[in-house]
């Protein structure tokens, strides 16, 4: 009897080369690890490990540069787009990307991301939106939903006291500088595949010198949402998706051409 | 014959940076340093180098951090309120050991203050300013020529020690026109194998200032502290005028030292034996030079454009048994040589009567 399984020496899945042999320190069910793996796969596929630069931010991914197998650096809370701007301007051959949370990008760093987009800097931003301040223990983020519990909105976020959540992609796509702005999610395998496509397109836009590319990834934080890891995925679908619709918010024609190219290939 | 050109101090800084091989400049408009930013806006692109007018001084310091991390010589310039905004980023740069040049053309403060020249950021610039245990090398020019020369030195020292260097000057010097001898451009820049240049054919480089474990972080800070000690040993710079026979020594830096020099000349004409010690480095501060002077001189007069900041270091150096008096202006008001002279005369009379 022959078993219908691949030969034992056929590799079906492996750790991306762009990932360092360094354990993720995220909580069980955290979305950050999934996004990191996707970035690493894209960097492998585009063969840019020798040019990639991880510009970390401040949040649960503060040590992003440890997980990747290429150059990386820290930046102060909110300032990663400015740091990446300088790296790209000084060394145009490098491929810097920022990895930022919602507190980092949409609160303390609002000015830097808006102006990097407005200038159309040729950099890439991966924006992990978990609607909470993960690292500091679950305080309200600018993206925290109305009514949502956080340690600093103990009765749920009330607009009269704490205002309204910010929709980053919608806001930034009004600017002329960005080449590509998309929102994706990682709540199931199909969503993860789409997320990877968006991340890849964002990097390809940079490689083609088309201007700023930004991918927002809705990412679970089971710890601070106070739900179990598997349920966190359902919670994301139920609560985050209605407030933050997935899709491409800005695709300039040159990026659309890149997309067509990859479909043909 | 080297070229000698009449230029404002702010322009001399800009040209000094270009001569020193500054590859990237980032800045946000603020008076009294605007001429510097505007000059760079024209000159950097001419030279094929990077110029960005940033959305804030926060972005400027972060871009400076990025450019320095990428191994480029880079500079930002600002004035007092902007320098305050940059403190967090400066601390990160010191922690990550990134070399870069920061220009602070000081103005009257606190608060919005005014656009007159002042030296009120002395504590902030020389004692740390941001959070944590670090120091910045501080260079204090006193002429347009030194604006150029010390800017060039600032780039050298930044690279030598992998530490941010502050050119601490003020609105009076920034705007004053003086003849400047144009120096030779630096042609060879140092190798920076630690920089973010892409991990091609070498292990990856990481630049950070973070260690989760305090016990692992402390040794990193210790290394920084050792570096600051080396700087104190090797980099003290100052100018002494008429110190040999002086019975009273004025201590002043930057613009205040210009007023002090005029006061010294007036005092000498009156037969008073006055000298001047002008620190060129504020960190490292010439403590030992002053302590040695205090062996033979017991009267010191500090002239500063702040309300008694710089004087603290002078007192620390000469000891509590010496007479140390203050002639100062603050809040953006210039210090007239006559004000210094009056204090000299009063101190001299009291000395005779003692
Ligand atoms: C200037 C400054 N302010 C505050 C902090 C504290 N801090 C660290 S991470 C963080 C929030 C991060 O939240 P987010 O960006 O959403 O990232 P997450 O941890 O959720 O991935 C804050 C406020 C800091 N490090 N620096
Ligand atoms: S706190 Fe939330 S965002 Fe941070 S690692 Fe844990 S699950 Fe992830
Ligand atoms: Mg978050």
């Amino acid at each position: 009897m022959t078993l219908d399984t691949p030969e034992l020496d056929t590799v079906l899945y492996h750790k991306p080369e762009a990932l360092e042999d360094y354990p993720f320190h995220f909580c069980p069910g955290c979305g950050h690890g999934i996004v990191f793996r996707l970035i690493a796969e894209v960097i492998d596929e585009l063969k840019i490990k020798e040019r990639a630069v991880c510009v970390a931010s401040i949040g649960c991914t503060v040590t992003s540069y440890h997980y990747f197998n290429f150059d990386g650096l820290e930046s102060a809370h909110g300032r990663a787009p400015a740091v990446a701007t300088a790296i790209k301007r000084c060394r145009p051959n490098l491929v810097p990307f920022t990895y930022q949370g919602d507190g980092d990008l949409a609160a303390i760093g609002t000015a830097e991301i808006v102006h990097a987009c407005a200038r159309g800097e040729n950099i890439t931003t991966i924006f992990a939106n978990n609607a909470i301040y993960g690292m500091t223990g679950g305080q309200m983020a600018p993206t925290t939903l109305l009514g949502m519990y956080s340690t600093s909105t103990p009765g749920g976020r009330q607009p009269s006291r704490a205002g309204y959540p910010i929709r980053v992609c919608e806001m930034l796509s009004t600017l002329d500088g960005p080449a590509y702005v998309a929102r994706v999610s990682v709540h199931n395998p199909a969503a993860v595949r789409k997320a990877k496509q968006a991340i890849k397109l964002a990097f390809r836009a940079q490689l083609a010198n088309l201007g700023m590319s930004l991918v927002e990834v809705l990412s679970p934080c089971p710890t601070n949402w106070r739900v179990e890891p598997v349920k966190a995925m359902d919670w994301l679908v139920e609560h985050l998706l209605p407030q933050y619709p997935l899709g491409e918010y800005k695709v300039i024609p040159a990026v659309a051409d890149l997309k067509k190219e990859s479909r043909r290939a | 014959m080297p070229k000698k050109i009449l230029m404002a101090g702010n322009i001399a800084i800009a040209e000094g940076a270009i001569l020193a091989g500054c590859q990237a400049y980032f800045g946000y408009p603020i008076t009294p340093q605007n001429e510097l930013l505007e000059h760079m806006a024209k000159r950097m692109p001419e030279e094929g180098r990077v110029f960005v007018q940033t959305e804030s001084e926060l972005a400027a310091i972060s871009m400076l951090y990025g450019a320095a991390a990428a191994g480029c010589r880079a500079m930002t310039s600002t004035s007092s309120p902007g320098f305050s905004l940059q403190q967090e980023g400066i601390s990160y740069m010191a922690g990550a050991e990134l070399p870069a040049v920061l220009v602070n053309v000081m103005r009257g403060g606190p608060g919005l203050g005014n656009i007159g020249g002042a030296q009120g950021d002395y504590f902030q610039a020389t004692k740390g300013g941001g959070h944590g245990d670090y120091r910045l090398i501080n260079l204090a020019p006193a002429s347009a020529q030194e604006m150029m020369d010390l800017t060039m030195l600032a780039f050298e020292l930044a690279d030598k020690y992998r530490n941010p260097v502050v050119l601490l000057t003020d609105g009076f010097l920034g705007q004053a026109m003086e003849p400047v001898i144009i120096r030779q451009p630096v042609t060879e820049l140092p190798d920076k194998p630690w920089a973010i240049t892409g991990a091609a054919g070498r292990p990856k480089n990481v630049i950070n200032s973070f260690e989760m474990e305090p016990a692992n972080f402390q040794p990193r800070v210790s290394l920084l502290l050792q570096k600051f000690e080396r700087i104190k040993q090797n980099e003290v710079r100052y100018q002494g005028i008429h110190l040999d026979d002086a019975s009273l020594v004025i201590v002043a830096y930057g613009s205040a030292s210009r007023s002090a020099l005029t006061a010294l000349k007036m005092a000498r004409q009156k037969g008073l034996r006055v000298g001047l010690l002008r620190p060129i480095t504020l960190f490292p501060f010439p403590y030992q030079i002053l302590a040695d002077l205090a062996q033979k001189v017991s009267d010191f007069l500090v002239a500063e454009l702040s309300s008694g900041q710089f004087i603290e270091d002078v007192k620390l150096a000469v000891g509590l048994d010496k007479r140390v008096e203050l002639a100062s202006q603050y809040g953006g008001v210039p210090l007239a040589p006559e004000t210094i002279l009056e204090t000299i005369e009063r101190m001299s009379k009291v000395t005779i009567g003692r």
Side-chain angles (χ1 to χ4, degrees):
Chain A
M1 193 182 80
T2 53
L3 283 173
D4 193 15
T5 51
E7 298 288 322
L8 277 181
D9 57 359
T10 309
V11 178
L12 291 179
Y13 206 61
H14 61 87
K15 189 169 74 61
E17 268 180 38
L19 271 190
E20 187 71 86
D21 242 337
Y22 191 92
F24 285 140
H25 66 259
F26 307 122
C27 311
C30 176
H32 286 315
I34 305 173
V35 187
F36 274 41
R37 176 172 174 117
L38 296 182
I39 295 170
E41 286 179 5
V42 164
I43 283 173
D44 276 5
E45 288 168 20
L46 296 173
K47 300 190 172 60
I48 51 171
K49 194 167 82 70
E50 300 191 332
R51 297 160 62 195
V53 178
C54 170
V55 183
S57 64
I58 308 289
C60 283
T61 58
V62 61
T63 54
S64 297
Y65 43 75
H66 284 328
Y67 309 121
F68 293 114
N69 196 2
F70 47 80
D71 280 9
L73 73 170
E74 162 187 283
S75 40
H77 199 15
R79 318 290 167 226
V83 174
T85 293
I87 289 175
K88 189 71 181 184
R89 296 261 189 142
C90 289
R91 296 196 182 274
N93 187 47
L94 295 182
V95 185
F97 67 92
T98 71
Y99 190 99
Q100 302 176 257
D102 37 50
D104 191 90
L105 181 141
I108 195 167
T110 317
E112 282 74 13
I113 192 65
V114 167
H115 287 274
C117 283
R119 289 190 304 265
E121 292 296 340
N122 198 30
I123 59 173
T124 300
T125 288
I126 308 299
F127 164 42
N129 179 3
N130 55 16
I132 202 83
Y133 281 28
M135 190 193 211
T136 40
Q139 298 83 4
M140 180 188 72
T143 45
T144 295
L145 305 176
L146 291 184
M148 180 175 159
Y149 171 86
S150 78
T151 57
S152 56
T153 51
R157 182 176 187 173
Q158 299 300 326
S160 58
R161 275 187 242 148
Y164 297 87
I166 294 179
R167 295 188 191 88
V168 168
C169 286
E170 288 83 337
M171 185 172 78
L172 294 178
S173 59
T174 65
L175 298 170
D176 292 335
Y180 182 65
V181 176
R183 183 182 291 124
V184 296
S185 176
V186 290
H187 60 271
N188 65 28
V192 170
R193 270 196 298 277
K194 279 195 178 159
K196 181 174 166 185
Q197 282 166 6
I199 291 171
K200 191 164 182 179
L201 192 55
F203 275 97
R204 289 176 66 210
Q206 181 180 164
L207 292 172
N209 293 318
L210 297 180
M212 182 87 191
S213 51
L214 180 144
V215 178
E216 172 175 347
V217 188
L218 300 182
S219 169
C221 173
T223 302
N224 289 299
W225 293 355
R226 304 187 178 205
V227 289
E228 289 159 22
V230 178
K231 291 213 178 96
M233 297 302 189
D234 301 334
W235 196 94
L236 188 158
V237 172
E238 198 177 323
H239 298 281
L240 285 196
L241 287 188
Q243 171 73 23
Y244 301 116
L246 305 186
E248 292 181 321
Y249 285 82
K250 180 144 194 220
V251 186
I252 63 166
V255 173
D257 289 346
L258 286 181
K259 258 175 101 170
K260 272 184 233 145
E261 243 173 61
S262 54
R263 250 183 247 126
R264 274 200 299 272
Chain B
M1 268 283 283
K3 263 208 293 195
K4 204 169 190 178
I5 295 180
L6 194 65
M7 57 169 82
N10 281 335
I11 309 297
I13 296 172
E15 286 297 326
I18 289 168
L19 290 169
C22 175
Q23 293 150 287
Y25 170 90
F26 310 97
Y28 184 84
I30 184 168
T31 313
Q33 66 79 55
N34 290 324
E35 302 79 15
L36 206 174
L37 176 143
E38 289 161 0
H39 194 76
M40 289 305 243
K42 180 169 170 290
R43 292 282 289 117
M44 291 297 273
E46 271 175 16
E47 298 282 332
R49 307 184 197 180
V50 174
F51 169 90
V52 182
Q53 178 176 332
T54 62
E55 62 270 29
S56 70
E57 289 87 350
L58 290 178
I61 194 71
S62 305
M63 289 188 199
L64 190 73
Y65 173 99
C72 292
R73 284 197 164 177
M75 182 170 94
T76 185
S77 64
T78 185
S79 178
S80 308
F83 194 60
S84 291
L85 263 184
Q86 293 182 332
Q87 294 305 317
E88 184 200 19
I90 295 172
S91 169
Y92 271 70
M93 293 186 78
E97 294 200 88
L98 291 178
V101 175
L102 306 140
V103 178
N104 180 0
V105 186
M106 292 182 280
R107 61 188 241 176
L112 187 55
N114 59 48
I115 59 172
Q119 295 180 327
D121 307 350
Y122 181 82
F123 285 155
Q124 185 188 38
T126 63
K127 308 295 179 193
H131 58 285
D133 277 308
Y134 75 93
R135 290 304 177 95
L136 303 172
I137 298 172
N138 268 256
L139 304 179
S143 64
Q145 183 69 60
E146 276 194 353
M147 294 288 231
M148 174 171 286
D149 295 352
L150 295 185
T151 299
M152 295 181 75
L153 177 65
F155 280 99
E156 295 300 324
L157 293 178
D159 281 340
K160 180 171 174 189
Y161 292 100
R162 280 188 64 179
N163 205 67
V165 177
V166 178
L167 191 83
L168 192 66
T169 181
D170 64 69
F172 299 126
L173 282 170
Q175 317 245 310
M177 302 275 286
E178 288 182 324
V180 175
I181 297 170
I182 306 300
R183 305 299 185 191
Q184 288 301 311
V186 172
T187 47
E188 260 181 62
L189 299 181
D191 274 347
K192 298 181 180 176
W194 47 264
I196 299 291
T197 53
R202 62 154 170 77
K204 76 174 187 184
N205 282 343
V206 164
I207 288 176
N208 71 353
S209 63
F210 178 73
E211 289 292 341
M212 187 69 104
E213 276 302 318
N216 294 339
F217 187 57
Q218 195 185 44
R220 280 185 68 165
V221 184
S222 303
L223 285 177
L224 289 182
L225 300 181
Q226 286 166 22
K227 177 169 82 176
F228 302 141
E229 284 309 313
R230 284 200 304 282
I231 292 170
K232 288 183 197 167
Q233 293 301 315
N234 300 330
E235 304 300 342
V236 171
R237 287 170 171 79
Y238 64 95
Q239 183 190 15
I241 296 172
H242 290 317
L243 291 179
D244 291 347
D245 68 339
S247 59
L248 182 154
V249 171
I250 313 174
V251 191
Y253 72 95
S255 295
S257 72
R258 297 288 291 263
S259 305
L261 186 60
T262 308
L264 177 152
K265 285 176 186 160
M266 298 191 295
R268 285 264 162 187
Q269 271 169 7
K270 296 184 179 218
L272 298 171
R273 286 185 289 120
V274 174
L276 171 67
L277 184 91
R278 174 172 77 89
I280 294 173
T281 51
L282 300 175
F283 180 87
F285 189 86
Y287 289 113
Q288 193 55 51
I289 310 303
L290 268 163
D292 292 348
L293 258 179
Q295 299 290 318
K296 52 179 191 139
V297 178
S298 53
D299 284 4
F300 292 87
L301 168 54
V302 173
E304 59 176 296
L305 294 174
S306 43
S307 57
Q309 297 189 30
F310 176 64
I311 194 172
E312 290 198 3
D313 278 322
V314 177
K315 282 183 175 168
L316 199 60
V318 302
L320 292 176
D321 56 330
K322 305 292 169 193
R323 184 151 66 131
V324 184
E325 296 216 4
L326 178 66
S328 78
Q329 281 293 6
Y330 41 85
V333 177
L335 179 57
E338 292 73 17
T339 310
I340 303 174
L341 183 64
E342 274 165 31
T343 315
I344 294 171
E345 288 180 321
R346 187 170 47 76
M347 288 177 75
S348 307
K349 278 190 203 116
V350 177
T351 307
I352 293 160
R354 232 183 359 199

